[in-house]
């Protein structure tokens, strides 16, 4: 059974870098069938696609965040990661890691999400 | 970006009655080569991640009850719950996956009247 689990600090100071890791169980991030994604949801608000990565390391980022985002993959640990630099309070959100079964496809499995608060 | 809108923002329906949610995309999400609209619906309950309900406009994900159905094409879509159950209380989001960045509608909250 596919499970995704986010981990990382729940509190980040303004101007610093948010770093999260997603660990996959019940599958392999090296699979050629899937893309691995990050999506966020500010408290009480809607969903925003951040980007995705393929096992080859190829990435796709939301242009609105592209200058600050890096998504990477570690096939040896079966993990992929998100870094978001120069954070502000507007980056406070629940961050989800998720699976996309194809380049233009839905998001079929989601992690439980982790709340990251940006505050001094 | 393809902007997604939903209506209504919220609705309250009696148990066993029909609930319908509309979604519009700012441009067509119909891919002519396969005649498929790249439109999905998700259900999100409090303190849970979204759950995929429907993809390709009308295909139910495995395990989703058949009271959930999707329809539409191009730029206008509808999610229908034919007979609302207590466990259907949630926020429902549409999403286009035709073009990155994939974008979601703002959500429609469904409650019991």
């Amino acid at each position: 059974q596919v499970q995704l689990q986010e981990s990382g600090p729940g509190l980040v100071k303004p101007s610093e870098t948010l770093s999260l890791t997603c660990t996959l169980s019940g599958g392999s991030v090296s699979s050629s069938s899937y893309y691995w994604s990050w999506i966020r949801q500010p408290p009480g608000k809607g969903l925003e696609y951040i980007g995705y990565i393929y096992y080859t390391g190829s990435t796709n980022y939301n242009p609105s965040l592209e200058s600050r985002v890096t998504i990477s993959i570690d096939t040896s640990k079966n993990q992929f990661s998100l870094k978001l630099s120069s954070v502000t309070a507007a980056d406070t959100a629940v961050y989800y890691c998720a699976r996309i079964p194809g380049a233009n496809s839905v998001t079929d499995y989601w992690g439980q999400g982790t709340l990251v608060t940006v505050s001094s | 970006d393809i902007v997604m809108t939903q209506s209504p923002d919220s609705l309250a329906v009696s148990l066993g009655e029909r609930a319908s949610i509309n979604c519009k995309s700012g441009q067509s999400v119909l891919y002519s080569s396969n005649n498929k609209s790249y439109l999905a619906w998700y259900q999100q309950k409090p303190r849970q991640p979204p759950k995929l309900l429907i993809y390709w406009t009308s295909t139910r994900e495995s395990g989703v009850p058949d009271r959930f159905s999707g329809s539409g094409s191009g730029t206008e879509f509808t999610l229908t719950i034919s007979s609302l159950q207590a466990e259907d209380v949630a926020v429902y989001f549409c999403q286009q996956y035709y073009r990155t960045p994939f974008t979601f509608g703002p959500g429609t909250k469904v409650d019991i009247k």
Side-chain angles (χ1 to χ4, degrees):
Chain A
Q1 181 181 352
V2 173
Q3 290 190 329
L4 296 151
Q5 181 65 59
E6 305 88 353
S7 59
L11 180 64
V12 181
K13 290 183 168 56
S15 79
E16 295 190 344
T17 296
L18 176 160
S19 296
L20 296 174
T21 296
C22 182
T23 301
L24 172 66
S25 56
S28 173
V29 298
S30 299
S31 170
S32 61
S33 298
Y34 304 108
Y35 293 70
W36 307 99
S37 175
W38 288 95
I39 296 162
R40 70 180 183 177
Q41 185 173 32
K45 296 188 178 179
L47 297 155
E48 181 179 31
Y49 164 83
I50 298 171
Y52 66 61
I53 190 165
Y54 194 45
Y55 79 102
T56 57
S58 174
T59 54
N60 178 283
Y61 298 139
N62 191 324
S64 68
L65 298 168
E66 188 164 16
S67 63
R68 299 193 292 130
V69 170
T70 302
I71 299 176
S72 57
I73 194 163
D74 187 337
T75 56
S76 67
K77 294 182 179 179
N78 218 26
Q79 295 176 333
F80 58 104
S81 299
L82 168 71
K83 290 189 185 299
L84 181 65
S85 64
S86 304
V87 297
T88 69
D91 295 310
T92 294
V94 174
Y95 286 76
Y96 296 101
C97 62
R99 188 183 84 168
I100 302 174
N104 283 73
S105 189
V106 294
T107 304
D108 64 352
Y109 279 93
W110 299 65
Q112 284 300 304
T114 187
L115 174 62
V116 179
T117 301
V118 178
S119 175
S120 55
Chain B
D1 297 8
I2 298 177
V3 176
M4 307 298 291
T5 58
Q6 288 182 232
S7 62
D9 295 334
S10 65
L11 74 161
V13 175
S14 300
L15 287 172
E17 296 299 305
R18 177 185 298 255
S20 293
I21 301 168
N22 299 307
C23 172
K24 288 187 180 181
S25 57
Q27 54 189 275
S28 176
V29 297
L30 173 65
Y31 190 36
S32 55
S33 66
N34 60 12
N35 201 35
K36 289 185 174 182
S37 289
Y38 285 50
L39 191 285
W41 290 96
Y42 299 83
Q43 174 193 65
Q44 187 177 33
K45 297 181 179 180
R47 295 170 297 282
Q48 293 186 20
K51 172 188 174 184
L52 176 64
L53 293 179
I54 286 172
Y55 56 97
W56 299 133
T57 301
S58 60
T59 302
R60 273 188 302 275
E61 175 73 331
S62 176
V64 173
D66 61 7
R67 64 180 179 272
F68 291 93
S69 64
S71 62
S73 182
T75 61
E76 299 196 5
F77 305 91
T78 300
L79 174 70
T80 300
I81 309 172
S82 61
S83 176
L84 190 75
Q85 304 300 302
E87 60 266 32
D88 301 334
V89 170
V91 178
Y92 293 83
F93 296 94
C94 60
Q95 181 212 22
Q96 66 80 19
Y97 50 100
Y98 177 82
R99 178 180 300 150
T100 59
F102 303 141
T103 46
F104 296 85
T108 294
K109 185 175 182 180
V110 174
D111 214 335
I112 305 294
K113 184 185 292 182

